[in-house]
Amino acid sequence: MKAEKQGNLEAADQEEMSPGESTDESEEDESEEEPKLKYERLLNGVSEILQEDAASCMTVHEKFLALGTHSGKMYLLDIQGNVTQKFDIVQVFGLYSREGLHEIFDCPIKIVAVHPLFGKSNCKQFVTGGNKLLLYDRNWLNRWKTSVLHEGEGNITNIKWRGNLIAWANNMGVKILDITTKQRITNIPRDDKSLRPDMYPCSLFWKDNLTLVIGWGKSVKVCSVKERHASELRDLPSRYVEIVTQFDNEYYISGIAPLCDQFVMLFFVKDKSETMLCARPRLDIIQAHPDSSEEISSDAITVRGFQENECRDYRLEYSEGESLFYIISPRDVVVAKERDQDDHIDWLLTRKKYEEALMAAEISQKNIKRHDVLDIGLSYITHLVEKRDYDMAARKCQKILGKNMKLWEDEVYRFKKIGQLKAISKYLPRGDLRLRPAIYEMILDEFLKTDYEGFSTLIREWPGELYNNKTIVQALKGHLNKDPENRTLLKALAELHTYDQRYDEALNIYLKLRNKEVFDLIHKHNLFSSIKDKIVLLMDFDTEKAVDMLLDNEDKISIDKVVNELKDRPELQHVYLHKLFKRDHHKGQKYHEKQISLYAEFDRPNLLPFLRDSTHCPLEKALEICHQRNFVEETVFLLSRMGNSRRALQMIMEELKDVDKAIEFAKEQDDAELWDDLILYSIDKPPFITGLLNNIGTHVDPILLIHRIKEGMEIPNLRDSLVKILQDYNLQILLREGCKKILVSDSLSLLKKLHRTQAKAMLVDDESICEACLSPLLSSDVSKPLGVVAFHCRHTFHRDCVPVASTMSTVYFCNICSAKKRGPGSAMHEMKK
């Protein structure tokens, strides 16, 4: 059995408790496990009855209670315990019809059970238990007939009737009888026969029409009534009982009742001390398993006079469908109820679990009666403030206070009082719902006095409409008078000027601070007219961003204006013009001549690409600058572009001494004279000869070079170069042969396709016309001979309309295709008569 922490709960208000019982409260407070049930004492008339008498039994109805006492009296009570009727004898009758049975019995009656449908049908039956089980049945003459159902096994102490089944307990065990067949289905003997049945009585209840639960001594059995198979009947009853669950408990059972799929069990507990007094009874919720059980909760119940009570003095009754449980003892009646959401919230609040309490209240907002979500939330905020968790308290204000501006202002003043305005500032409303401007100004003033960074953050995050801008600017300038170079305050002032649409002042501050937000400010508020004389400042601050902004908005600040503003800063002028050229090669064409010097001075790697891409650059000027600065590669390019390829090649060979570049240049120019010059220059330089042998095979016949090599000259890697020439030659031969094979294969394939196309039949019908005379091709006069000529080009003629090549030839040709000069495959067709 699972061990659970026991919570000792008091069963009534403090006014009804004796001084010695109040010690249980501290134990409850220390328990972190929430109780499953709550308890209250049944007072009013019950208190008066039990002051002079002792309770012995009780039955429960959803509308009233019936309480029996040791003196033999029976009281009818309402749900609050008020007495409505009193009876001194045993009777069975209708509360509203007054019909029933009143009889003097020949033996003491221990228990009475009526038919489940006694008040709603003609089933006027009930049973009594004493030393025998008697059935009372009213016949058609309206007389009561008595029959003995069972006797001879001692006193009957408990009877439960459900549907057609009656279960009762006597000294020997529990029996079940089918009232329709008058057959006893089973006998379930009691386990511990050492216990006196009158001191430790049996507890019974029907879980459903076919499931009986038995609690006796320390044992619990769950019995299922099942139908017997027809093949097993013989002389046996049609039903039998199977025990599906059985487990033992630590204490003696005084009562058992259902709670959903669990059991509520009342236990009698003996005190283990030497005083021999009894301990308080326990009410446990038990989850049953096939051969074990799990304790869900356990409560010790303080009832009056529990020290003197025995197991037989307690009863547990319940109201079906309401989860109400009545604990009956001689001097007390205690009602146990399932705890509702209000009780759950109470328990959480007493343990200061405000977060969980608030969540529970929000989920069950429509069902709770004693609590309010807002009140719980305000208590939570107060609790967090008392704990000095100011940030969490302020954060919870957003959720709890919602749109209640009055509560918001109250909380702001509370935070001001404790010096924590900073904590709540992050969470103040700033959307459609807003507080009075004075609230925001009070917080800004607090930050301005103690935290410049925090003040700047709020100015940046809060909309300017929340407060009086002029008031804050005035206060801010007062602090700047003391510290005029404070960057944080200057930035905040720029923000305030922006909110107040004083953009020029904001722009000046941002430029002074070299703050990157200046570009966003210019774009957002279209301040290009204000920066025409500040271009150098912007580019000094962030050249890339400034250039991109100027180029993106050249319609607002012209290229000429920018170039003129940068005339004293050529390095910045170059960056601007370079990016302009990269975007568009023609927009800044008037400055291309100037750019030659700028590239040469500040960015030589991009000079050659510029010379290649520009079509507006004066070549003579560029050649002069490159020659002055000894820029060989650029000079070679310019010479080549100006048509002086031989001079360009000469510079490559003499100044760069780069045979590969010379060969590449010769390949680009594809000029035979250049190749001759290159060979002539290289003929006395073995490394150049090696380079030529390795690279000219596809442009110049290598024999020309080889014939010019002087006999006896040592050439590095000559063998490898010759092998490469041969390999290149073989590769060319292979490529030619491969191309030839492909050409032949394609020609053959196309020829076959042409043949298949020309061999196809052609339809000639009444709608066909002669392409020459445009009259119907087929004559309607069948007596005339058929003379039709059809060509493979799909043109058709009368034989007489087709021209012939000569008077001596019988070859016909299509004059339409001949006029269009088509090939012979589609324009000529030889046809013999």
Side-chain angles (χ1 to χ4, degrees), residues 446-477:
E446 177 71 18
F447 272 91
L448 190 55
K449 292 177 181 177
T450 59
D451 183 0
Y452 286 166
E453 288 292 340
F455 174 81
S456 179
T457 300
L458 289 184
I459 292 297
R460 185 169 59 256
E461 294 179 352
W462 283 3
E465 300 84 10
L466 294 180
Y467 47 85
N468 188 314
N469 197 288
K470 292 181 180 179
T471 302
I472 302 302
V473 169
Q474 186 176 356
L476 178 56
K477 285 183 176 179

Side-chain angles (χ1 to χ4, degrees), residues 386-516:
E386 291 172 353
K387 283 178 58 181
R388 299 188 177 183
D389 191 352
Y390 301 116
D391 185 73
M392 179 61 74
R395 189 182 308 162
K396 291 300 177 183
C397 286
Q398 282 187 312
K399 178 180 179 182
I400 294 167
L401 304 183
K403 301 178 181 180
N404 193 322
M405 297 297 106
K406 173 65 169 59
L407 291 177
W408 265 110
E409 293 194 5
D410 291 344
E411 289 301 323
V412 170
Y413 283 114
R414 172 158 72 168
F415 275 74
K416 175 179 173 57
K417 187 176 180 180
I418 60 178
Q420 291 296 327
L421 278 177
K422 293 182 181 179
I424 201 171
S425 64
K426 295 182 289 185
Y427 307 105
L428 289 181
R430 61 183 75 171
D432 296 335
L433 295 171
R434 299 172 182 175
L435 306 180
R436 292 183 295 112
I439 299 295
Y440 300 100
E441 292 167 13
M442 177 178 67
I443 294 174
L444 287 172
D445 185 65
E446 177 71 18
F447 272 91
L448 190 55
K449 292 177 181 177
T450 59
D451 183 0
Y452 286 166
E453 288 292 340
F455 174 81
S456 179
T457 300
L458 289 184
I459 292 297
R460 185 169 59 256
E461 294 179 352
W462 283 3
E465 300 84 10
L466 294 180
Y467 47 85
N468 188 314
N469 197 288
K470 292 181 180 179
T471 302
I472 302 302
V473 169
Q474 186 176 356
L476 178 56
K477 285 183 176 179
H479 284 263
L480 277 172
N481 290 335
K482 302 174 186 177
D483 188 3
E485 299 301 321
N486 189 293
R487 297 180 61 85
T488 302
L489 293 182
L490 285 170
K491 184 178 178 183
L493 183 59
E495 293 276 359
L496 290 170
H497 284 324
T498 303
Y499 293 144
D500 208 22
Q501 298 183 2
R502 301 168 69 177
Y503 302 123
D504 288 342
E505 296 184 36
L507 182 63
N508 290 331
I509 294 174
Y510 280 132
L511 287 173
K512 179 181 178 180
L513 297 175
R514 301 174 67 86
N515 191 299
K516 291 187 177 182

Side-chain angles (χ1 to χ4, degrees), residues 565-629:
E565 284 292 317
L566 299 175
K567 62 185 178 182
D568 296 329
R569 297 290 299 276
E571 74 279 9
L572 297 179
Q573 205 176 51
H574 164 68
V575 174
Y576 175 78
L577 290 172
H578 172 65
K579 279 211 168 188
L580 174 63
F581 180 75
K582 297 295 284 186
R583 289 195 180 194
D584 190 322
H585 293 348
H586 306 287
K587 274 190 177 180
Q589 58 182 327
K590 62 188 291 186
Y591 299 107
H592 284 196
E593 181 177 348
K594 184 179 186 65
Q595 282 185 268
I596 298 171
S597 300
L598 293 175
Y599 276 112
E601 181 68 24
F602 303 108
D603 190 12
R604 185 191 170 186
N606 281 313
L607 174 58
L608 186 57
F610 170 74
L611 295 173
R612 285 195 180 116
D613 295 337
S614 174
T615 58
H616 308 285
C617 174
L619 299 180
E620 294 82 1
K621 179 68 174 178
L623 182 61
E624 179 184 351
I625 293 172
C626 293
H627 184 72
Q628 289 174 354
R629 292 178 177 266

Side-chain angles (χ1 to χ4, degrees), residues 44-78:
N44 302 321
V46 173
S47 299
E48 298 175 3
I49 294 169
L50 299 185
Q51 285 178 0
E52 301 177 355
D53 206 344
S56 61
C57 61
M58 191 171 80
T59 189
V60 178
H61 187 269
E62 61 182 9
K63 296 181 179 179
F64 54 83
L65 311 172
L67 176 66
T69 66
H70 280 282
S71 64
K73 294 181 174 60
M74 196 281 289
Y75 297 89
L76 201 62
L77 312 170
D78 62 16

Side-chain angles (χ1 to χ4, degrees), residues 87-146:
F87 306 94
D88 294 325
I89 56 176
V90 178
Q91 299 182 66
V92 178
F93 63 91
L95 289 176
Y96 306 106
S97 65
R98 307 306 300 175
E99 65 174 345
L101 170 68
H102 175 203
E103 184 171 314
I104 303 299
F105 298 94
D106 58 355
C107 62
I109 301 300
K110 299 290 185 182
I111 187 85
V112 177
V114 298
H115 193 288
L117 301 176
F118 188 92
K120 298 181 181 180
S121 68
N122 295 324
C123 301
K124 302 301 183 183
Q125 295 177 318
F126 67 91
V127 291
T128 63
N131 56 11
K132 53 188 171 182
L133 183 67
L134 293 177
L135 172 65
Y136 291 81
D137 190 357
R138 191 169 67 179
N139 59 25
W140 63 277
L141 294 175
N142 208 25
R143 294 179 180 178
W144 290 94
K145 176 184 176 183
T146 305

